[in-house]
Amino acid sequence: NVSVSLYHLSLLLLCMSSPAFGGHVLVFPGEYSHWLNARTIMDELVRRNHSVTVLVADASPSVSYNNSRDAAKFNFLVFKVATAHEYLLSLTHIQGLKYGVLYYVVTQNFGLKQCDAILKNQQLMATLRDAAFDAVLLDPMIMCGDLVADVLGLPLVISLRFSQGGVMERHCGHVPAPPSFVPPPPLPYSDLMTFTERLTSVMTYVTTCWVHTPLYFYLCGVFHTPNVFPVPKP
């Protein structure tokens, strides 16, 4: 009868269909509000049956890797870095321009130490390679996540445009960003700019490239060489 035929047809379709598997994503989250943004994306990945591993420094001032609720959903891979957790937390009590300058200097230094703690750690890099990730989700607030993705041969997804002038996203993520149409951070313009705003956008690109590009080339030169961690040949 019809019901039996439909039953057999359903079984046949199930046998012919291929199974769907969740992916394994390595996440480099930012700090503070950036961590909240990353966690929202991670929650959605988990909801869609993907596995999420968060690579975080033990001195992180805001990523709650000891939180039982987050630990139940995400796998935290914690690495040691030569910066005190308490020192990073103390920066939040400094106000004004002094805070801005000090925060920039400290975060740059912290970022370099994270690069050193990850890319020069043979055991950690071997662990990441053995985990067989499918992709890397990077908050550009974190240095060297793009280099790790390149060393591991993984596709890189950037969670937001953050770096000054979009330098990191353009050089490391290859994000197309013509200055006359895509205003760089921290400019508040849309893609519909006046002539003055377009000129400001171009000048911002030029100045931020002049200031920040040497840092990224320095990072690539120091941490992404065959002597640090050999890039596997295809």
Side-chain angles (χ1 to χ4, degrees):
N1 58 26
V2 176
S3 60
V4 174
S5 299
L6 289 175
Y7 174 74
H8 288 134
L9 179 61
S10 300
L11 288 178
L12 179 62
L13 291 174
L14 286 174
C15 292
M16 294 176 61
S17 62
S18 59
F21 299 100
H24 194 184
V25 182
L26 176 63
V27 179
F28 288 81
E31 300 290 349
Y32 305 109
S33 61
H34 290 255
W35 162 238
L36 299 179
N37 175 67
R39 194 168 61 183
T40 300
I41 300 173
M42 290 156 52
D43 282 334
E44 182 63 21
L45 288 172
V46 171
R47 191 186 71 81
R48 299 190 181 196
N49 202 35
H50 298 294
S51 174
V52 173
T53 296
V54 184
L55 188 62
V56 57
D58 60 347
S60 171
S62 60
V63 177
S64 51
Y65 57 84
N66 287 322
N67 183 296
S68 58
R69 184 172 65 89
D70 288 337
K73 296 183 292 183
F74 317 126
N75 175 37
F76 287 97
L77 187 57
V78 183
F79 63 93
K80 293 185 178 296
V81 64
T83 300
H85 172 77
E86 293 75 13
Y87 175 64
L88 293 176
L89 284 177
S90 68
L91 294 177
T92 58
H93 301 294
I94 304 173
Q95 302 296 324
L97 179 62
K98 181 181 178 181
Y99 165 77
V101 175
L102 181 60
Y103 181 80
Y104 179 81
V105 172
V106 170
T107 52
Q108 294 296 312
N109 183 51
F110 181 52
L112 291 173
K113 289 182 178 179
Q114 285 189 97
C115 293
D116 193 73
I118 297 172
L119 287 159
K120 291 186 178 180
N121 187 331
Q122 298 281 346
Q123 183 177 357
L124 176 59
M125 291 301 296
T127 299
L128 295 177
R129 189 181 302 282
D130 293 340
F133 293 103
D134 297 300
V136 172
L137 175 64
L138 169 67
D139 186 308
M141 181 181 185
I142 301 301
M143 290 184 182
C144 292
D146 54 305
L147 296 182
V148 173
D150 193 45
V151 168
L152 297 178
L154 297 174
L156 174 67
V157 179
I158 297 177
S159 60
L160 76 162
R161 294 173 65 240
F162 169 76
S163 64
Q164 295 295 309
V167 173
M168 185 270 185
E169 293 89 334
R170 287 185 290 115
H171 284 293
C172 304
H174 300 288
V175 176
S180 293
F181 299 95
V182 182
L187 296 181
Y189 308 146
S190 70
D191 58 331
L192 302 176
M193 293 181 281
T194 65
F195 174 77
T196 303
E197 290 172 343
R198 291 178 191 273
L199 183 61
T200 303
S201 178
V202 171
M203 293 306 298
T204 302
Y205 269 113
V206 172
T207 54
T208 52
C209 281
W210 182 76
V211 173
H212 292 280
T213 299
L215 172 63
Y216 291 109
F217 278 102
Y218 168 77
L219 292 176
C220 291
V222 170
F223 295 106
H224 196 358
T225 64
N227 294 329
V228 174
F229 195 88
V231 179
K233 296 181 180 180

Coordinates of all heavy atoms in Angstrom, one line a residue, residues 44-104:
E44 N 26.8 30.4 19.3 CA 26.1 30.0 18.1 C 26.8 28.8 17.4 O 26.1 27.9 16.9 CB 26.0 31.2 17.1 CG 25.2 30.9 15.9 CD 23.7 30.6 16.1 OE1 23.2 30.9 17.2 OE2 23.1 30.0 15.2
L45 N 28.1 28.8 17.4 CA 28.8 27.7 16.8 C 28.5 26.4 17.6 O 28.2 25.3 16.9 CB 30.3 27.9 16.9 CG 30.9 29.0 15.9 CD1 32.3 29.3 16.2 CD2 30.7 28.5 14.5
V46 N 28.4 26.4 18.9 CA 28.1 25.3 19.7 C 26.7 24.8 19.4 O 26.4 23.6 19.3 CB 28.3 25.5 21.2 CG1 27.8 24.4 22.1 CG2 29.8 25.7 21.5
R47 N 25.8 25.8 19.3 CA 24.4 25.5 19.1 C 24.2 24.8 17.7 O 23.3 23.9 17.6 CB 23.5 26.8 19.0 CG 22.0 26.6 19.0 CD 21.3 27.9 18.9 NE 21.4 28.4 17.5 CZ 20.7 28.0 16.5 NH1 19.8 27.1 16.6 NH2 20.9 28.6 15.3
R48 N 25.1 25.1 16.8 CA 25.1 24.4 15.5 C 25.9 23.1 15.5 O 26.3 22.6 14.4 CB 25.5 25.4 14.4 CG 24.6 26.6 14.3 CD 24.9 27.4 13.1 NE 24.0 28.6 13.0 CZ 23.9 29.3 11.9 NH1 24.5 29.0 10.8 NH2 23.1 30.4 11.9
N49 N 26.3 22.6 16.6 CA 27.0 21.4 16.8 C 28.4 21.4 16.4 O 29.0 20.4 16.0 CB 26.2 20.3 16.0 CG 26.5 18.9 16.5 OD1 26.7 18.7 17.8 ND2 26.6 17.9 15.7
H50 N 29.1 22.6 16.5 CA 30.5 22.6 16.2 C 31.2 22.6 17.5 O 30.7 22.9 18.6 CB 30.8 23.9 15.5 CG 30.2 24.1 14.1 ND1 30.5 23.2 13.1 CD2 29.3 24.9 13.7 CE1 29.8 23.6 12.0 NE2 29.0 24.6 12.4
S51 N 32.5 22.1 17.5 CA 33.3 22.0 18.7 C 34.2 23.3 18.7 O 34.8 23.6 17.7 CB 34.2 20.8 18.6 OG 35.1 20.7 19.7
V52 N 34.3 23.9 19.9 CA 35.0 25.2 20.0 C 36.1 25.0 21.0 O 35.9 24.6 22.2 CB 34.1 26.3 20.4 CG1 34.9 27.6 20.7 CG2 33.0 26.6 19.3
T53 N 37.3 25.3 20.6 CA 38.5 25.4 21.5 C 39.0 26.8 21.6 O 39.3 27.4 20.6 CB 39.6 24.4 21.0 OG1 39.2 23.1 21.1 CG2 40.8 24.6 22.0
V54 N 39.1 27.3 22.8 CA 39.6 28.7 23.0 C 41.0 28.7 23.5 O 41.3 28.1 24.6 CB 38.7 29.4 24.1 CG1 39.0 30.8 24.2 CG2 37.2 29.3 23.7
L55 N 41.9 29.3 22.8 CA 43.3 29.4 23.2 C 43.4 30.8 24.0 O 43.2 31.8 23.4 CB 44.2 29.4 22.0 CG 45.7 29.3 22.3 CD1 46.0 28.1 23.0 CD2 46.5 29.4 21.0
V56 N 43.8 30.7 25.2 CA 43.8 31.9 26.1 C 45.0 31.8 27.0 O 45.4 30.8 27.5 CB 42.5 31.9 26.9 CG1 42.3 30.7 27.7 CG2 42.4 33.2 27.8
A57 N 45.5 33.0 27.3 CA 46.7 33.1 28.2 C 46.2 33.0 29.6 O 45.1 33.5 30.0 CB 47.4 34.5 28.0
D58 N 47.0 32.5 30.5 CA 46.6 32.3 31.9 C 46.5 33.7 32.6 O 45.8 33.8 33.6 CB 47.6 31.4 32.6 CG 49.0 32.0 32.6 OD1 49.3 32.9 31.8 OD2 49.9 31.5 33.4
A59 N 47.1 34.7 32.0 CA 47.1 36.1 32.6 C 45.9 36.9 32.0 O 45.8 38.1 32.3 CB 48.4 36.8 32.4
S60 N 45.0 36.3 31.3 CA 43.9 37.1 30.7 C 43.1 37.7 31.7 O 42.7 37.1 32.7 CB 43.0 36.1 29.8 OG 41.9 36.8 29.4
P61 N 42.9 39.1 31.6 CA 42.1 39.8 32.6 C 40.6 39.6 32.6 O 39.9 40.0 33.5 CB 42.5 41.2 32.4 CG 42.8 41.3 31.0 CD 43.4 40.0 30.6
S62 N 40.1 39.1 31.5 CA 38.6 39.0 31.3 C 38.1 37.7 30.8 O 36.9 37.5 31.0 CB 38.2 40.2 30.4 OG 38.8 40.0 29.1
V63 N 38.9 36.9 30.1 CA 38.3 35.6 29.6 C 38.2 34.7 30.7 O 39.1 34.3 31.4 CB 39.3 35.0 28.5 CG1 38.7 33.7 28.0 CG2 39.4 36.0 27.3
S64 N 36.9 34.2 30.9 CA 36.6 33.4 32.1 C 36.8 32.0 31.9 O 35.8 31.2 31.8 CB 35.1 33.7 32.5 OG 34.3 33.6 31.4
Y65 N 38.0 31.6 31.8 CA 38.3 30.1 31.5 C 38.1 29.2 32.7 O 38.0 28.0 32.5 CB 39.7 30.0 30.9 CG 40.9 30.4 31.8 CD1 41.4 29.7 32.8 CD2 41.4 31.7 31.5 CE1 42.4 30.1 33.6 CE2 42.5 32.2 32.3 CZ 43.0 31.3 33.3 OH 44.0 31.8 34.1
N66 N 37.9 29.8 33.9 CA 37.6 29.0 35.1 C 36.1 29.0 35.4 O 35.7 28.4 36.3 CB 38.3 29.6 36.3 CG 39.8 29.2 36.2 OD1 40.2 28.2 35.8 ND2 40.7 30.2 36.7
N67 N 35.3 29.7 34.5 CA 33.9 29.7 34.7 C 33.3 28.4 34.3 O 33.5 27.9 33.2 CB 33.3 30.9 33.9 CG 31.8 31.0 34.1 OD1 31.0 30.1 33.7 ND2 31.4 32.2 34.6
S68 N 32.6 27.8 35.3 CA 32.0 26.4 35.0 C 31.0 26.4 33.9 O 30.9 25.4 33.1 CB 31.4 25.9 36.3 OG 30.4 26.7 36.8
R69 N 30.2 27.5 33.7 CA 29.2 27.5 32.7 C 29.9 27.5 31.3 O 29.5 26.9 30.4 CB 28.3 28.8 32.9 CG 27.2 28.8 31.9 CD 26.3 30.0 32.3 NE 26.9 31.3 32.1 CZ 26.9 32.0 31.0 NH1 26.3 31.5 29.9 NH2 27.5 33.2 31.0
D70 N 31.0 28.4 31.2 CA 31.6 28.4 29.9 C 32.4 27.1 29.6 O 32.5 26.6 28.5 CB 32.6 29.6 29.9 CG 31.8 30.9 29.7 OD1 30.7 30.9 29.2 OD2 32.4 32.0 30.1
A71 N 33.0 26.6 30.7 CA 33.8 25.4 30.6 C 33.0 24.2 30.1 O 33.5 23.2 29.5 CB 34.5 25.1 31.9
A72 N 31.7 24.2 30.4 CA 30.8 23.1 30.0 C 30.5 23.2 28.5 O 30.2 22.2 27.9 CB 29.5 23.2 30.8
K73 N 30.7 24.4 27.9 CA 30.4 24.5 26.5 C 31.6 24.5 25.6 O 31.6 24.0 24.5 CB 29.6 25.8 26.2 CG 28.2 25.8 26.9 CD 27.5 27.1 26.5 CE 28.1 28.3 27.2 NZ 27.3 29.5 26.9
F74 N 32.7 25.2 26.1 CA 33.9 25.4 25.3 C 35.1 24.6 26.0 O 35.2 24.4 27.2 CB 34.2 26.8 25.2 CG 33.1 27.7 25.0 CD1 32.8 28.8 25.8 CD2 32.2 27.5 23.9 CE1 31.7 29.6 25.5 CE2 31.1 28.3 23.6 CZ 30.9 29.4 24.5
N75 N 36.0 24.2 25.1 CA 37.3 23.6 25.6 C 38.3 24.7 25.7 O 38.7 25.3 24.6 CB 37.7 22.5 24.6 CG 39.1 22.0 25.0 OD1 39.4 21.8 26.2 ND2 39.9 21.6 24.0
F76 N 38.8 25.0 26.9 CA 39.8 26.1 27.0 C 41.2 25.5 27.1 O 41.5 24.6 27.9 CB 39.5 26.9 28.3 CG 38.4 27.8 28.3 CD1 37.1 27.4 28.8 CD2 38.5 29.0 27.7 CE1 36.0 28.2 28.7 CE2 37.4 29.9 27.7 CZ 36.1 29.5 28.2
L77 N 42.0 26.0 26.2 CA 43.4 25.6 26.2 C 44.2 26.7 26.7 O 44.4 27.7 26.0 CB 43.8 25.2 24.7 CG 45.2 24.6 24.5 CD1 45.4 23.3 25.4 CD2 45.4 24.3 23.1
V78 N 44.7 26.6 27.9 CA 45.3 27.8 28.6 C 46.9 27.6 28.5 O 47.4 26.5 28.8 CB 44.9 27.8 30.1 CG1 45.5 29.0 30.8 CG2 43.4 27.9 30.2
F79 N 47.5 28.7 28.1 CA 49.0 28.6 28.0 C 49.6 29.7 29.0 O 48.9 30.7 29.2 CB 49.5 28.8 26.6 CG 49.1 30.2 26.0 CD1 50.0 31.3 26.1 CD2 47.9 30.3 25.4 CE1 49.6 32.5 25.5 CE2 47.5 31.6 24.8 CZ 48.4 32.6 24.9
K80 N 50.8 29.5 29.4 CA 51.4 30.4 30.3 C 52.1 31.6 29.6 O 52.7 31.4 28.5 CB 52.4 29.7 31.2 CG 51.8 28.7 32.2 CD 52.9 28.1 33.1 CE 52.2 27.2 34.1 NZ 51.3 27.9 35.0
V81 N 52.0 32.8 30.1 CA 52.6 33.9 29.5 C 53.3 34.7 30.7 O 52.7 34.8 31.8 CB 51.6 34.8 28.7 CG1 50.6 35.4 29.6 CG2 52.3 35.9 28.0
A82 N 54.4 35.4 30.4 CA 55.2 36.0 31.4 C 54.6 37.4 31.8 O 55.3 38.4 31.7 CB 56.6 36.1 31.0
T83 N 53.4 37.5 32.1 CA 52.7 38.7 32.6 C 51.8 38.4 33.7 O 51.0 37.4 33.6 CB 52.0 39.4 31.4 OG1 52.9 39.7 30.4 CG2 51.3 40.7 31.9
A84 N 51.8 39.2 34.8 CA 50.9 38.9 35.9 C 49.5 39.3 35.6 O 49.2 40.4 35.1 CB 51.4 39.6 37.1
H85 N 48.5 38.4 36.0 CA 47.1 38.7 35.8 C 46.7 39.9 36.6 O 45.9 40.7 36.1 CB 46.3 37.4 36.3 CG 44.9 37.6 36.3 ND1 44.1 37.6 35.2 CD2 44.0 37.8 37.4 CE1 42.8 37.8 35.6 NE2 42.8 38.0 36.9
E86 N 47.2 40.0 37.8 CA 46.8 41.2 38.7 C 47.3 42.5 38.1 O 46.6 43.5 38.2 CB 47.4 41.0 40.1 CG 46.8 39.8 40.8 CD 47.4 38.5 40.4 OE1 48.3 38.5 39.6 OE2 46.8 37.4 40.7
Y87 N 48.4 42.5 37.4 CA 48.9 43.7 36.8 C 48.0 44.2 35.7 O 47.7 45.4 35.6 CB 50.3 43.5 36.3 CG 50.9 44.7 35.6 CD1 51.1 45.9 36.2 CD2 51.2 44.7 34.2 CE1 51.6 47.0 35.6 CE2 51.7 45.8 33.5 CZ 51.9 46.9 34.2 OH 52.4 48.0 33.5
L88 N 47.5 43.3 34.9 CA 46.6 43.7 33.8 C 45.3 44.2 34.3 O 44.7 45.2 33.8 CB 46.4 42.5 32.9 CG 47.6 42.0 32.0 CD1 47.2 40.8 31.2 CD2 48.1 43.1 31.1
L89 N 44.8 43.6 35.4 CA 43.6 44.1 36.0 C 43.8 45.5 36.6 O 42.8 46.3 36.6 CB 43.1 43.1 37.1 CG 42.5 41.8 36.7 CD1 42.2 40.9 37.9 CD2 41.2 42.1 35.8
S90 N 45.0 45.8 37.1 CA 45.2 47.1 37.8 C 45.1 48.2 36.8 O 44.9 49.4 37.2 CB 46.5 47.1 38.5 OG 47.6 47.1 37.5
L91 N 45.3 48.0 35.5 CA 45.2 49.1 34.5 C 43.8 49.7 34.4 O 43.7 50.8 34.0 CB 45.6 48.5 33.1 CG 47.1 48.1 33.0 CD1 47.3 47.5 31.6 CD2 48.0 49.2 33.3
T92 N 42.8 48.9 34.8 CA 41.4 49.4 34.6 C 41.1 50.6 35.6 O 40.1 51.3 35.5 CB 40.4 48.3 34.9 OG1 40.6 47.8 36.2 CG2 40.6 47.2 33.9
H93 N 42.0 50.8 36.6 CA 41.8 51.9 37.6 C 42.5 53.2 37.2 O 42.3 54.2 37.9 CB 42.3 51.4 39.0 CG 41.7 50.2 39.5 ND1 40.3 50.1 39.8 CD2 42.2 48.9 39.7 CE1 40.0 48.9 40.2 NE2 41.1 48.1 40.1
I94 N 43.2 53.2 36.1 CA 43.9 54.4 35.6 C 42.9 55.1 34.7 O 42.4 54.5 33.8 CB 45.2 54.0 35.0 CG1 46.1 53.2 35.9 CG2 45.9 55.3 34.5 CD1 47.4 52.7 35.3
Q95 N 42.8 56.4 34.8 CA 41.9 57.2 34.0 C 42.6 58.2 33.1 O 43.8 58.5 33.3 CB 40.9 58.0 34.9 CG 40.1 57.1 35.9 CD 39.2 56.2 35.2 OE1 38.6 56.5 34.1 NE2 39.0 55.0 35.7
G96 N 41.9 58.6 32.1 CA 42.4 59.7 31.2 C 43.4 59.3 30.2 O 43.6 58.1 29.9
L97 N 44.2 60.3 29.7 CA 45.1 60.1 28.7 C 46.2 59.1 29.1 O 46.7 58.3 28.3 CB 45.8 61.4 28.2 CG 46.8 61.3 27.1 CD1 46.2 60.8 25.8 CD2 47.4 62.7 26.9
K98 N 46.6 59.2 30.4 CA 47.6 58.3 30.9 C 47.2 56.9 30.7 O 48.0 56.0 30.4 CB 47.9 58.6 32.4 CG 49.0 57.8 33.0 CD 49.2 58.1 34.5 CE 50.3 57.2 35.1 NZ 50.5 57.6 36.5
Y99 N 45.9 56.6 31.0 CA 45.4 55.3 30.8 C 45.6 54.8 29.4 O 46.0 53.7 29.1 CB 44.0 55.2 31.2 CG 43.3 53.9 30.8 CD1 43.5 52.7 31.4 CD2 42.4 53.9 29.7 CE1 42.9 51.5 31.0 CE2 41.8 52.8 29.2 CZ 42.1 51.6 29.9 OH 41.5 50.4 29.5
G100 N 45.2 55.7 28.4 CA 45.2 55.3 27.0 C 46.6 55.0 26.6 O 46.8 53.9 25.9
V101 N 47.6 55.8 26.9 CA 49.0 55.6 26.5 C 49.5 54.3 27.2 O 50.1 53.4 26.6 CB 49.9 56.8 26.9 CG1 51.3 56.5 26.6 CG2 49.4 58.0 26.1
L102 N 49.3 54.2 28.5 CA 49.8 53.0 29.2 C 49.2 51.7 28.8 O 49.8 50.7 28.6 CB 49.6 53.2 30.7 CG 50.1 52.1 31.7 CD1 51.6 52.0 31.5 CD2 49.8 52.4 33.1
Y103 N 47.9 51.8 28.5 CA 47.1 50.6 28.1 C 47.7 50.1 26.7 O 47.9 49.0 26.5 CB 45.7 50.9 28.0 CG 44.8 49.7 27.6 CD1 44.5 48.7 28.5 CD2 44.4 49.6 26.2 CE1 43.8 47.6 28.1 CE2 43.7 48.4 25.8 CZ 43.4 47.5 26.8 OH 42.6 46.4 26.4
Y104 N 47.9 51.1 25.8 CA 48.5 50.7 24.5 C 49.8 50.1 24.6 O 50.1 49.0 24.0 CB 48.6 52.0 23.6 CG 49.1 51.7 22.3 CD1 48.3 51.2 21.3 CD2 50.5 51.9 22.0 CE1 48.8 50.9 20.0 CE2 51.0 51.6 20.7 CZ 50.2 51.2 19.7 OH 50.7 50.9 18.5

